[in-house]
Amino acid sequence: MTPLLMIPGPIEVSEAVARAVSGPPPGHVSPQVIEAFGCALENMRRVWLARPDAQPFVVPGSGTLAMEMAVTNLLDPGQRALVVNTGYFSDRMGEMLARRGVEVTHLRAAPGGAPSVSDVEIAIGSAADERKPFHAMFATHVDTSTGVRVDARALIQAARVHEVLTVFDGVCATAGERFEMASWGAGVYLTASQKAIGLPPGLALMVVSQRALEARRRLRTKPPMSVDMLEWLPIMQAYEARRPSYFSTPATNLIMGLDITLKEILAMSRDEDLAMATRVRLHELAAEAFRASWEAMGLRMVPAAGLEANTLSAVRYPEGVDATLIGKVREQGVIIAGGLHPAIKDQYFRVGHMGHVLTHPDDLVRTVNAVEAGLIACGLSIERGVARRAFIDAFG
Ligand code: PMP
């Protein structure tokens, strides 16, 4: 049996997406790529719940490249940024900002925690009072290293009081967690193709507000050419107008798949708000059911109560169990991931639960069964079947 990929990205993709990306490479000026690209750009605004004037970007690359694009297009060296730091990927954002010559302030929390919104309000307020305002605030919507989700809406509200531009790394969140770009007023919401969006790796995706684009136009130090929003902007505009254009070759196979996956995401309703609410609800239900089965096996989560993401579980090994669990779970035909946060790396494992797989409850049950069997093989005494029962009771 083909192993089931249940790491927090890359993830299993739908059959239609797998077909769309695996054909012979179409040319970037072929009619089918032009149409798929144009549709995908339009549908990104809907999935992101963004304003009609917000600008989507689809660029070949990874999530890290999307982060780089945000950092280098919004801030000049010497400007100030606040990083709401929840782990490994917030650290990466901070390092990128520092390499750009930006003056970075981190608000940190212990692994599994998140800085409080009031601490963020205080930090932003006092910087403004001291006439050294932050130009932008960066946060990781879901930090994949800890499974912590921040309260994006409240953080954006706190930043907007002082007109601080906001950038959210949604790599492990977009299309799985609620994010209302237009009504919350975010500056940039970025992601990568291999997570809840439901594609193989290879695309950096983001939607950028007009205000954030203005910040790019005002820069004194241009970003590297390959990630310059002003180089890519006419290309995005052309494809949306169903005209071909060239700056740097787009990842044509992935764009064919992007069109399909965004249509699948929006298929729940003609109303994008309802479609996204339904999709997020499914992620919530699955996350609750996974947590119920971890609890039934006596396991504890890494994130503090109330901060658990819907897109993945970060779960502590019980007493006497270590990373050998991952190999035992693999023997059951399911691939899960180890820890990532450097401070607690050896103390927990991670299971992704996002995207297409959520429409296959049998695969979700297969996953909790495999973890249960793995724990039993590691010597833990658990009653066989508790994980499955707890999952089914909660998932319904
Ligand atoms: N941010 C977050 C929250 C992530 O989970 C990841 C990837 N796991 C990245 C950024 C970096 O993305 P990539 O590996 O595609 O460069």
Side-chain angles (χ1 to χ4, degrees), residues 3-176:
L4 180 67
L5 187 61
M6 293 296 287
I7 63 175
I11 61 167
E12 297 282 339
V13 300
S14 76
E15 295 75 20
V17 166
R19 268 196 309 276
V21 300
S22 56
H28 62 290
V29 296
S30 65
Q32 78 262 38
V33 167
I34 295 171
E35 184 54 27
F37 210 154
C39 268
L41 290 163
E42 288 163 1
N43 280 333
M44 275 175 73
R45 274 193 206 90
R46 302 178 65 210
V47 168
W48 266 244
L49 299 174
R51 285 165 55 111
D53 67 350
Q55 182 59 51
F57 288 92
V58 177
V59 173
S62 63
T64 304
L65 184 117
M67 293 162 72
E68 198 90 79
M69 190 156 164
V71 163
T72 55
N73 278 270
L74 297 190
L75 295 165
D76 262 321
Q79 290 190 317
R80 301 192 70 214
L82 179 67
V83 174
V84 180
N85 193 316
T86 45
Y88 183 88
F89 291 103
S90 309
D91 280 341
R92 176 174 296 186
M93 194 69 102
E95 171 62 18
M96 278 181 181
L97 286 158
R99 289 187 189 195
R100 173 80 176 159
V102 171
E103 207 183 298
V104 188
T105 302
H106 287 271
L107 270 184
R108 293 181 191 276
S116 73
V117 173
S118 65
D119 283 350
V120 173
E121 281 167 352
I122 292 167
I124 292 176
S126 40
D129 291 346
E130 288 162 21
R131 299 194 181 282
K132 287 166 62 185
F134 291 116
H135 295 91
M137 179 189 83
F138 291 76
T140 315
H141 194 185
V142 167
D143 199 298
T144 326
S145 72
T146 56
V148 164
R149 182 186 58 233
V150 295
D151 183 346
R153 179 187 201 157
L155 291 176
I156 294 168
Q157 233 162 28
R160 287 183 72 191
V161 171
H162 294 279
E163 297 188 352
V164 176
L165 205 55
T166 50
V167 177
F168 279 80
D169 167 354
V171 173
C172 200
T174 309

